[in-house]
Amino acid sequence: MPTSLTLTRARLGSGGPLGGLRITDGRITALGPDVTGGDGPVRDLDGRTVLPGLWDAHVHLGQWAKVRHQLDLAGAASAREAAEAVRAYAAATAGAGAGAGPVVGYGFRDGLWPDTPEKSLLDAVCPDRAVALVSGDLHAAWFNSAGLTLVGRAGHPTGLLREGDAFRAVSALPDVPSGVLDGWVADACGAAAARGVCGVVDFHIADNVGDWTRRAARARPGVRVDAAVYPPYLDEVLARGLRTGDALPGTGGLVRIGPLKLFTDGSLNTRTALCRDPYPGLEGTPGEYGVEETPYEELVRLMRRAAEHGIMPAVHAIGDRANTRALDAFAEVGRAGRIEHAQLLSPDDVARFAALGVTAGVQPAHATDDRDVADRHWAGRTGRAFAYGDLLAAGAQLEFGSDAPVSPLDPWIGIAAAVHRTADERPAWHPEQRMAVGDALTASARGRAALAVGDAADLVVVDVDPLKADAATLRAMPVHATLTDGRFTHGPV
């Protein structure tokens, strides 16, 4: 394989000049108007734009790979409509022997439904086959009676489980063989590369270090992967002396140790995000302010233990009270790290991200997906929800992700949402929180604002300069090619 590749007649960055770019042994070694050829192949890009390669800084890759093969419930407008989709799917899949396995669906969002998910609805449409439906935010699961029995929850009064109960029930479902899942994950990585993705932070709730070691032994990963660690696997990682950023042996440097994932609260759609104000209609109930997932003292203990051994903490926090607690914990531990989601913020907390060195790992597509849910359940507070403009103005570092499967693993959807704050014909939702195109691209490229000699040759080539793209074109950006470590992972070879 040649060690040198030259890209010519390329626009070098969004709004940049025309020129060439040379790659040698996986790194950019020359850049500018006079770069025209080299020892290896030359690719004429015909004026297309070359950008730093994109990352998805928050994805549940195993779950994303699975839901691509499951019943899609994202469009269901009510519990009854979702149940009818189950009826049709069960009938369509029963003939090929699938009836022995559960009907598994994904993507329902009940936060705005006029009716309530109940096991009786699913029992009526699918009485003899287990049904397990996972919510679009991953924080709730809806089962029929047979499904509850399958996961050891027979007799549950409603069939709708939330937070830890839901996570445990879903994990008890029969899983696909590892070889099948690895194939699905490889396909998902290929699809991500086709959208310009060079790397992901994989927050799949599993033994990610072990899983990615196995996958890399079978085939070269299609993207770079930072494999997140969960508390049950922390001791093993520490025993091996691994730290965040270390390459996993046998992965060619493409898989590295990621952060330790911890939870402070739940989610908005499930009304379990921990907030300072009660949720409408839940006043006076035990869950009126949401759910505290990890007590503060335990959060600090785990963060400190990880940080002292070189593992960066990444703390899930969605509600404003949860974000305050997460920031307080970072201040007490005295180490930098990440807050994942940072959806609702108290005004006094915005500046603390930069002051404490805490990166905000955010998912701009959630702002457009959840605007109606937020307007209902966070009424009067949405001016400080998904407050990317405020965070950027305060000096915080933002990194974009999708939280796939919560939103699709496609960075251009998030970039367009951050820039335009709408995904339909409606006006921008809180346009004061918009980001400039350049800032959104930087947040999608892990802080790489421009091409530079010496950088890894992780690149995306697009047909339209993002600075000249309208909202629809930006969202559906045509990607001509993607290179990771100087190799084409999508496009011409």
Side-chain angles (χ1 to χ4, degrees):
M1 183 173 182
T3 60
S4 178
L5 170 69
T6 304
L7 308 177
T8 62
R9 286 211 301 155
R11 190 161 299 284
L12 303 176
S14 188
L18 286 172
L21 181 153
R22 184 171 301 119
I23 298 165
T24 307
D25 293 334
R27 296 211 165 261
I28 300 173
T29 53
L31 185 70
D34 300 327
V35 177
T36 57
D39 297 333
V42 176
R43 304 292 184 194
D44 184 341
L45 294 184
D46 195 24
R48 294 181 175 89
T49 300
V50 182
L51 303 167
L54 305 180
W55 273 73
D56 190 312
H58 191 122
V59 58
H60 302 267
L61 202 48
Q63 287 161 296
W64 171 239
K66 289 177 184 178
V67 304
R68 286 158 52 92
H69 299 267
Q70 295 173 354
L71 169 62
D72 183 1
L73 295 169
S78 67
R80 189 163 298 279
E81 187 175 323
E84 288 304 316
V86 169
R87 184 201 300 274
Y89 183 86
T93 57
V103 172
V104 181
Y106 168 76
F108 76 86
R109 297 175 182 268
D110 63 325
L112 297 174
W113 280 0
D115 50 1
T116 302
E118 293 276 354
K119 64 181 180 182
S120 59
L121 282 172
L122 298 179
D123 288 343
V125 299
C126 193
D128 301 321
R129 187 173 170 188
V131 177
L133 310 178
V134 180
S135 67
D137 59 12
L138 303 176
H139 286 254
W142 178 19
F143 294 82
N144 70 349
S145 295
L148 290 168
T149 299
L150 180 65
V151 298
R153 295 303 303 271
H156 187 278
T158 67
L160 183 66
L161 284 65
R162 300 182 185 275
E163 300 304 330
D165 283 347
F167 299 152
R168 288 185 289 272
V170 171
S171 68
L173 290 168
D175 208 350
V176 298
S178 62
V180 173
L181 180 58
D182 289 351
W184 290 355
V185 168
D187 290 345
C189 288
R195 300 303 295 143
V197 175
C198 294
V200 301
V201 183
D202 188 2
F203 282 104
H204 186 51
I205 303 176
D207 177 12
N208 289 312
V209 173
D211 288 347
W212 278 105
T213 299
R214 180 188 69 246
R215 289 169 187 155
R218 292 177 174 174
R220 177 184 173 91
V223 297
R224 296 186 188 274
V225 178
D226 283 2
V229 179
Y230 281 82
Y233 308 101
L234 180 59
D235 286 346
E236 181 181 349
V237 170
L238 297 184
R240 294 175 60 183
L242 296 170
R243 303 163 68 92
T244 295
D246 286 352
L248 277 179
T251 66
L254 291 176
V255 182
R256 298 181 180 273
I257 298 295
L260 174 70
K261 179 66 179 297
L262 301 168
F263 289 84
T264 62
D265 67 344
S267 70
L268 167 58
N269 178 74
T270 311
R271 280 82 75 202
T272 51
L274 189 62
C275 297
R276 298 181 181 277
D277 300 293
Y279 287 94
L282 296 182
E283 296 89 346
T285 70
E288 63 178 324
Y289 296 103
V291 173
E292 179 187 55
E293 283 291 335
T294 306
Y296 179 79
E297 294 76 12
E298 177 67 1
L299 181 68
V300 169
R301 185 189 72 80
L302 289 168
M303 290 172 62
R304 179 173 285 121
R305 183 161 183 260
E308 287 174 348
H309 291 84
I311 303 292
M312 176 191 294
V315 182
H316 166 115
I318 289 184
D320 50 5
R321 182 188 281 182
N323 276 279
T324 297
R325 290 188 179 184
L327 290 165
D328 288 348
F330 276 110
E332 186 167 339
V333 172
R335 302 289 180 92
R338 301 172 59 86
I339 287 180
E340 302 299 324
H341 309 304
Q343 287 187 2
L344 184 65
L345 301 177
S346 297
D348 292 342
D349 282 339
V350 172
R352 299 178 71 196
F353 281 82
L356 294 170
V358 175
T359 297
V362 299
Q363 301 76 41
H366 293 359
T368 52
D369 290 345
D370 290 349
R371 62 185 290 178
D372 297 320
V373 178
D375 281 341
R376 174 177 295 187
H377 297 295
W378 287 345
R381 292 170 276 167
T382 53
R384 49 190 174 89
F386 309 94
Y388 307 143
D390 288 349
L391 284 165
L392 200 64
Q397 179 176 338
L398 274 62
E399 291 188 5
F400 285 0
S402 64
D403 202 14
V406 181
S407 61
L409 205 175
D410 184 339
W412 299 102
I413 294 174
I415 291 168
V419 172
H420 295 286
R421 297 286 291 200
T422 187
D424 51 34
E425 72 285 352
R426 292 181 291 179
W429 187 60
H430 292 290
E432 71 277 8
Q433 299 297 347
R434 285 174 169 170
M435 292 176 62
V437 172
D439 291 330
L441 289 171
T442 299
S444 293
R446 255 196 169 178
R448 287 179 68 192
L451 304 170
V453 171
D455 281 356
D458 295 351
L459 308 168
V460 56
V461 182
V462 294
D463 288 341
V464 179
D465 186 335
L467 280 177
K468 299 178 180 179
D470 59 22
T473 303
L474 191 62
R475 183 178 175 89
M477 177 61 68
V479 174
H480 177 72
T482 306
L483 297 93
T484 300
D485 198 31
R487 302 185 187 194
F488 282 103
T489 55
H490 168 69
V493 293

